[in-house]
Amino acid sequence: MRTDLWDQFGDLVGGSPRLIATVTAHNSDGTSSLTTYDGVQMRAFGQLPLALPYNVWVRGGRLVEAAPNLPLYDLTV
């Protein structure tokens, strides 16, 4: 049994964050072209059989699953 609390916390959080992005294209090499809500363009492995454009969750450079198509707001408190 490990007693180091910081290591246990790291196991809960995981190594890479989950991002939301919009799939703008399916590429012939099995990747998808994505755009994040702040305009960053990237590619990730995987394609979902949905009509373009659609939102997805991305983690570690791979599509995880479809995300809801809801409006996003950026608020500063």
Side-chain angles (χ1 to χ4, degrees):
M1 180 174 156
R2 292 188 333 198
T3 58
D4 185 10
L5 293 177
W6 186 252
D7 285 343
Q8 292 177 13
F9 176 73
D11 291 343
L12 291 174
V13 175
S16 62
R18 186 173 74 160
L19 305 172
I20 190 167
T22 301
V23 175
T24 55
H26 289 154
N27 304 312
S28 61
D29 60 356
T31 62
S32 296
S33 296
L34 311 171
T35 303
T36 63
Y37 76 94
D38 55 351
V40 175
Q41 295 185 357
M42 56 192 247
R43 289 175 88 160
F45 291 106
Q47 297 177 352
L48 299 179
L50 300 171
L52 297 173
Y54 59 91
N55 293 338
V56 292
W57 293 111
V58 181
R59 177 174 280 158
R62 297 192 175 275
L63 301 185
V64 177
E65 63 183 343
N69 192 13
L70 301 172
L72 294 173
Y73 296 99
D74 188 17
L75 301 175
T76 303
V77 179

